[in-house]
Amino acid sequence: MSDKPNLDELFERRVTYPDVEPQLRLSRLVGLENQKTRLAKVVGLLVNPAGLAAWAKKHHPGAQMLLDIVLRRPPLVILAGDVGSGKTELAETIGDAVARSEGIDITLLPLSLSTRGQGRVGEMTQLLTAAFEHTVAEATRLKSASGRARGAVILLVDEADALAQSREAAQMHHEDRAGVNAFIRGIDRIANAKLPAAVLMCTNRLSALDPAVRRRAADVLSFARPDTEQRRFVLSSRLETVGFTGCHVDALVELTGPAPGRREYGFTFSDLTQRLLPAIVLDAYPGRAMDGARAVEIARAMAPTPPFKDGEFVGARP
Ligand SMILES: Nc1ncnc2c1ncn2[C@@H]1O[C@H](COP(=O)(O)OP(=O)(O)O)[C@@H](O)[C@H]1O
Ligand SMILES: [Mg+2]
């Protein structure tokens, strides 16, 4: 790749908030209240750092040193954990909550490393450098002298496992190191210029993430598979309206959980919403109505997606 990547090559699709579609998707996420709140606060403070000073003036006058610690954090949040647990979904929709609470427009620039930058040497570094350059340019236009930004930009680096190489650091290919360095330079640039921009990074392998990247994160949010109550909520909220009885829902909740002795993990959120529930619907369509006993059979025959071998997140919730 000799030329700089153009905008269309760089970002998948630009999203602007507020918008009803991400608002609805955000509201449908189950069990992520903690992650939602923390992420919204970090992004909100990048847009409006004066908000923290106003809060301190009211409750803790004289706490400036404490505020500085919070405000000097780098504009990076890592979303880490199991597959199909809502990392991408939350990263793609949180901008809506902040846009509404701060009363501004926010733009999401989604960069996926899984489908890009795996090719020629130098490509990932070039992609990251160009993505940060573009983010900085947009955020600079939105910064205002009076403190509160006119808007904000979220750069989403999804499927960032390409940057998650620390375990193999000793043998790390020169190109991988260069990608990590480009990423770190980009974060530092946004931080030093105090721009209204946040970088969200999603990865399935936190423990393999480069320590220099990890150290820069203002927050690391962890994501896990649904527990019993969360599976019950996802399943019953979708199935009780079609007339499934409690005992069939109970059986589905049980079958989609860990199976002692056989497997230590249960279904992921996406196993439930994108595999099991559609399978139940399509099994009945178009000839007959859905029924609970048949749904239980379908669940019994289905296996959950195996976890990434990261250890750290299997079964753990913040
Ligand atoms: N916490 C959740 N609550 C409800 N649905 C979820 C949740 N997490 C994931 N899903 C479902 O799974 C799909 C895939 O989630 P995604 O965010 O892409 O997972 P990943 O963590 O691998 O990025 C979502 O579109 C949604 O339908
Ligand atoms: Mg994802």
Side-chain angles (χ1 to χ4, degrees):
M1 202 158 68
S2 53
D3 296 340
K4 265 213 257 178
N6 70 34
L7 267 190
D8 289 338
E9 286 171 333
L10 209 48
F11 301 115
E12 283 165 14
R13 68 222 161 297
R14 205 186 157 91
V15 184
T16 308
Y17 318 101
D19 185 22
V20 287
E21 193 256 359
Q23 184 182 33
L24 183 67
R25 282 167 58 201
L26 183 61
S27 73
R28 283 187 179 155
L29 287 172
V30 176
L32 298 180
E33 283 316 312
N34 179 327
Q35 291 90 332
K36 257 188 218 180
T37 312
R38 278 158 60 184
L39 191 51
K41 280 184 195 180
V42 174
V43 178
L45 280 180
L46 290 168
V47 178
N48 180 24
L52 196 66
W55 163 84
K57 196 170 163 200
K58 187 167 158 204
H59 299 284
H60 306 284
Q64 193 55 44
M65 258 161 67
L66 196 54
L67 303 195
D68 287 345
I69 293 175
V70 177
L71 294 175
R72 273 208 309 264
R73 295 191 305 174
L76 169 68
V77 179
I78 296 172
L79 288 73
D82 219 332
V83 289
S85 56
K87 300 182 299 295
T88 299
E89 198 69 0
L90 182 62
E92 287 183 350
T93 58
I94 194 68
D96 187 80
V98 179
R100 285 171 203 276
S101 67
E102 296 294 334
I104 51 162
D105 280 0
I106 294 184
T107 302
L108 178 80
L109 302 173
L111 178 80
S112 173
L113 292 179
S114 71
T115 51
R116 290 140 203 269
Q118 304 279 332
R120 275 165 283 181
V121 168
E123 198 170 348
M124 185 164 87
T125 307
Q126 209 166 14
L127 274 176
L128 284 166
T129 305
F132 274 101
E133 238 165 57
H134 187 77
T135 305
V136 165
E138 278 206 26
T140 303
R141 282 200 295 276
L142 296 168
K143 189 178 171 171
S144 87
S146 71
R148 190 191 183 86
R150 287 185 292 271
V153 182
I154 297 176
L155 173 64
L156 170 58
V157 184
D158 204 355
E159 312 276 332
D161 296 349
L163 279 172
Q165 310 267 358
S166 76
R167 285 217 181 114
E168 298 86 12
Q171 301 97 310
M172 199 190 245
H173 191 279
H174 168 73
E175 164 56 13
D176 297 331
R177 190 70 245 168
V180 168
N181 289 341
F183 187 84
I184 290 171
R185 266 198 314 277
I187 297 288
D188 291 348
R189 237 179 116 187
I190 295 173
N192 292 337
K194 295 192 170 25
L195 296 175
V199 180
L200 307 185
M201 181 184 202
C202 301
T203 176
N204 295 317
R205 299 169 68 211
L206 179 66
S207 65
L209 199 60
D210 191 273
V213 172
R214 200 167 158 172
R215 209 168 38 239
R216 276 173 173 75
D219 207 347
V220 178
L221 305 175
S222 61
F223 292 70
R225 295 182 184 225
D227 62 18
T228 307
E229 279 323 298
Q230 291 163 343
R231 291 198 309 281
R232 180 179 301 285
F233 182 83
V234 169
L235 292 168
S236 64
S237 60
R238 271 85 171 170
L239 291 173
E240 270 163 8
T241 55
V242 298
F244 279 37
T245 61
C247 86
H248 287 134
V249 172
D250 286 347
L252 289 173
V253 170
E254 173 85 27
L255 281 169
T256 54
R262 270 198 306 124
R263 55 158 210 259
E264 289 162 9
Y265 52 90
F267 282 45
T268 66
F269 278 104
S270 63
D271 286 339
L272 298 177
T273 60
Q274 298 187 332
R275 293 174 58 220
L276 179 60
L277 290 169
I280 293 171
V281 172
L282 294 178
D283 173 68
Y285 171 86
R288 50 197 164 71
M290 288 183 268
D291 85 86
R294 180 73 196 132
V296 169
E297 273 176 51
I298 293 170
R300 202 187 300 278
M302 193 174 274
T305 308
F308 258 75
K309 289 198 185 62
D310 193 80
E312 214 161 332
F313 279 99
V314 179
R317 260 199 175 255

